[in-house]
Amino acid sequence: MGIRCRALLDTGADGTSVSRQAAEAAALTYRGKTLVTGIGGQNYHRSWATYIGFHDDPDRPALPFVLDEPLLAIEMPPYHAFEVIIGRDVMLQGDFEMRSNGDFSLTLPDR
């Protein structure tokens, strides 16, 4: 099962994070608590195994591009603007480019 989520690309995050609400709505596989180091130091957070997929155009129905390998997503607090933080674990699987005007692109590998 999968759900569509709003995501934040975070070039400073080592890994991907998900809100508990999104993880439960998508029926992700719970993997227990994982030791995480972040701004607040080290702490244990819930984690889930997940696959990440992307749509090129949210207004056009199309099959998403889904990364081949599952990720371990760490629980994050709920935010009103997004449900997922995509970290460098995902961005390094393709080519991420940020331009001086604030535009960016993430090009994922062809299959």
Side-chain angles (χ1 to χ4, degrees), residues 83-95:
E83 297 86 24
V84 175
I85 294 175
I86 295 176
R88 289 191 312 263
D89 57 339
V90 172
M91 288 185 269
L92 291 174
Q93 293 189 40
D95 292 316

PDB file of all heavy atoms in Angstrom, residues 83-95:
ATOM      1  N   GLU A  83       4.799  15.729   5.031  1.00  0.00           N
ATOM      2  CA  GLU A  83       4.762  14.507   5.835  1.00  0.00           C
ATOM      3  C   GLU A  83       6.066  13.720   5.788  1.00  0.00           C
ATOM      4  O   GLU A  83       6.261  12.798   6.566  1.00  0.00           O
ATOM      5  CB  GLU A  83       3.640  13.573   5.346  1.00  0.00           C
ATOM      6  CG  GLU A  83       2.240  14.130   5.474  1.00  0.00           C
ATOM      7  CD  GLU A  83       1.808  14.977   4.286  1.00  0.00           C
ATOM      8  OE1 GLU A  83       2.336  14.807   3.172  1.00  0.00           O
ATOM      9  OE2 GLU A  83       0.938  15.833   4.497  1.00  0.00           O
ATOM     10  N   VAL A  84       6.935  14.066   4.846  1.00  0.00           N
ATOM     11  CA  VAL A  84       8.178  13.318   4.626  1.00  0.00           C
ATOM     12  C   VAL A  84       9.320  14.308   4.439  1.00  0.00           C
ATOM     13  O   VAL A  84       9.146  15.349   3.807  1.00  0.00           O
ATOM     14  CB  VAL A  84       8.066  12.420   3.365  1.00  0.00           C
ATOM     15  CG1 VAL A  84       9.378  11.738   3.041  1.00  0.00           C
ATOM     16  CG2 VAL A  84       6.960  11.392   3.533  1.00  0.00           C
ATOM     17  N   ILE A  85      10.474  13.979   4.991  1.00  0.00           N
ATOM     18  CA  ILE A  85      11.715  14.701   4.690  1.00  0.00           C
ATOM     19  C   ILE A  85      12.581  13.732   3.897  1.00  0.00           C
ATOM     20  O   ILE A  85      12.860  12.620   4.355  1.00  0.00           O
ATOM     21  CB  ILE A  85      12.460  15.153   5.958  1.00  0.00           C
ATOM     22  CG1 ILE A  85      11.635  16.196   6.715  1.00  0.00           C
ATOM     23  CG2 ILE A  85      13.847  15.693   5.599  1.00  0.00           C
ATOM     24  CD1 ILE A  85      12.229  16.609   8.049  1.00  0.00           C
ATOM     25  N   ILE A  86      12.949  14.129   2.699  1.00  0.00           N
ATOM     26  CA  ILE A  86      13.819  13.307   1.858  1.00  0.00           C
ATOM     27  C   ILE A  86      15.244  13.802   2.043  1.00  0.00           C
ATOM     28  O   ILE A  86      15.557  14.955   1.768  1.00  0.00           O
ATOM     29  CB  ILE A  86      13.384  13.378   0.386  1.00  0.00           C
ATOM     30  CG1 ILE A  86      11.998  12.754   0.245  1.00  0.00           C
ATOM     31  CG2 ILE A  86      14.405  12.686  -0.517  1.00  0.00           C
ATOM     32  CD1 ILE A  86      11.412  12.833  -1.126  1.00  0.00           C
ATOM     33  N   GLY A  87      16.089  12.904   2.535  1.00  0.00           N
ATOM     34  CA  GLY A  87      17.469  13.252   2.824  1.00  0.00           C
ATOM     35  C   GLY A  87      18.429  12.821   1.726  1.00  0.00           C
ATOM     36  O   GLY A  87      18.035  12.368   0.653  1.00  0.00           O
ATOM     37  N   ARG A  88      19.711  12.934   2.059  1.00  0.00           N
ATOM     38  CA  ARG A  88      20.751  12.607   1.075  1.00  0.00           C
ATOM     39  C   ARG A  88      20.771  11.127   0.714  1.00  0.00           C
ATOM     40  O   ARG A  88      21.274  10.759  -0.344  1.00  0.00           O
ATOM     41  CB  ARG A  88      22.111  13.056   1.602  1.00  0.00           C
ATOM     42  CG  ARG A  88      22.257  14.568   1.614  1.00  0.00           C
ATOM     43  CD  ARG A  88      23.680  15.028   1.882  1.00  0.00           C
ATOM     44  NE  ARG A  88      24.310  14.394   3.005  1.00  0.00           N
ATOM     45  CZ  ARG A  88      24.385  14.902   4.237  1.00  0.00           C
ATOM     46  NH1 ARG A  88      23.835  16.064   4.494  1.00  0.00           N
ATOM     47  NH2 ARG A  88      24.988  14.256   5.197  1.00  0.00           N
ATOM     48  N   ASP A  89      20.209  10.255   1.563  1.00  0.00           N
ATOM     49  CA  ASP A  89      20.158   8.833   1.212  1.00  0.00           C
ATOM     50  C   ASP A  89      19.393   8.616  -0.080  1.00  0.00           C
ATOM     51  O   ASP A  89      19.709   7.721  -0.856  1.00  0.00           O
ATOM     52  CB  ASP A  89      19.560   7.999   2.343  1.00  0.00           C
ATOM     53  CG  ASP A  89      18.163   8.434   2.764  1.00  0.00           C
ATOM     54  OD1 ASP A  89      17.765   9.583   2.501  1.00  0.00           O
ATOM     55  OD2 ASP A  89      17.459   7.618   3.390  1.00  0.00           O
ATOM     56  N   VAL A  90      18.407   9.460  -0.357  1.00  0.00           N
ATOM     57  CA  VAL A  90      17.652   9.393  -1.608  1.00  0.00           C
ATOM     58  C   VAL A  90      18.308  10.253  -2.683  1.00  0.00           C
ATOM     59  O   VAL A  90      18.500   9.814  -3.814  1.00  0.00           O
ATOM     60  CB  VAL A  90      16.187   9.826  -1.400  1.00  0.00           C
ATOM     61  CG1 VAL A  90      15.456   9.954  -2.729  1.00  0.00           C
ATOM     62  CG2 VAL A  90      15.477   8.856  -0.473  1.00  0.00           C
ATOM     63  N   MET A  91      18.674  11.479  -2.334  1.00  0.00           N
ATOM     64  CA  MET A  91      19.233  12.404  -3.339  1.00  0.00           C
ATOM     65  C   MET A  91      20.511  11.883  -3.974  1.00  0.00           C
ATOM     66  O   MET A  91      20.767  12.139  -5.148  1.00  0.00           O
ATOM     67  CB  MET A  91      19.457  13.783  -2.719  1.00  0.00           C
ATOM     68  CG  MET A  91      18.145  14.510  -2.478  1.00  0.00           C
ATOM     69  SD  MET A  91      18.402  16.192  -1.890  1.00  0.00           S
ATOM     70  CE  MET A  91      18.410  15.909  -0.144  1.00  0.00           C
ATOM     71  N   LEU A  92      21.300  11.113  -3.230  1.00  0.00           N
ATOM     72  CA  LEU A  92      22.549  10.584  -3.781  1.00  0.00           C
ATOM     73  C   LEU A  92      22.334   9.397  -4.715  1.00  0.00           C
ATOM     74  O   LEU A  92      23.279   8.922  -5.333  1.00  0.00           O
ATOM     75  CB  LEU A  92      23.511  10.211  -2.653  1.00  0.00           C
ATOM     76  CG  LEU A  92      24.075  11.399  -1.885  1.00  0.00           C
ATOM     77  CD1 LEU A  92      24.909  10.935  -0.692  1.00  0.00           C
ATOM     78  CD2 LEU A  92      24.886  12.305  -2.794  1.00  0.00           C
ATOM     79  N   GLN A  93      21.099   8.943  -4.852  1.00  0.00           N
ATOM     80  CA  GLN A  93      20.809   7.885  -5.813  1.00  0.00           C
ATOM     81  C   GLN A  93      20.586   8.445  -7.210  1.00  0.00           C
ATOM     82  O   GLN A  93      20.415   7.705  -8.168  1.00  0.00           O
ATOM     83  CB  GLN A  93      19.587   7.081  -5.353  1.00  0.00           C
ATOM     84  CG  GLN A  93      19.885   6.315  -4.083  1.00  0.00           C
ATOM     85  CD  GLN A  93      18.784   5.357  -3.740  1.00  0.00           C
ATOM     86  OE1 GLN A  93      18.213   4.707  -4.606  1.00  0.00           O
ATOM     87  NE2 GLN A  93      18.492   5.244  -2.458  1.00  0.00           N
ATOM     88  N   GLY A  94      20.597   9.759  -7.328  1.00  0.00           N
ATOM     89  CA  GLY A  94      20.457  10.432  -8.613  1.00  0.00           C
ATOM     90  C   GLY A  94      21.384  11.633  -8.638  1.00  0.00           C
ATOM     91  O   GLY A  94      22.394  11.654  -7.933  1.00  0.00           O
ATOM     92  N   ASP A  95      21.033  12.616  -9.438  1.00  0.00           N
ATOM     93  CA  ASP A  95      21.809  13.856  -9.507  1.00  0.00           C
ATOM     94  C   ASP A  95      20.947  15.000  -9.009  1.00  0.00           C
ATOM     95  O   ASP A  95      19.910  15.318  -9.607  1.00  0.00           O
ATOM     96  CB  ASP A  95      22.255  14.143 -10.948  1.00  0.00           C
ATOM     97  CG  ASP A  95      23.276  13.129 -11.427  1.00  0.00           C
ATOM     98  OD1 ASP A  95      24.194  12.811 -10.654  1.00  0.00           O
ATOM     99  OD2 ASP A  95      23.139  12.648 -12.564  1.00  0.00           O
TER     100      ASP A  95
END
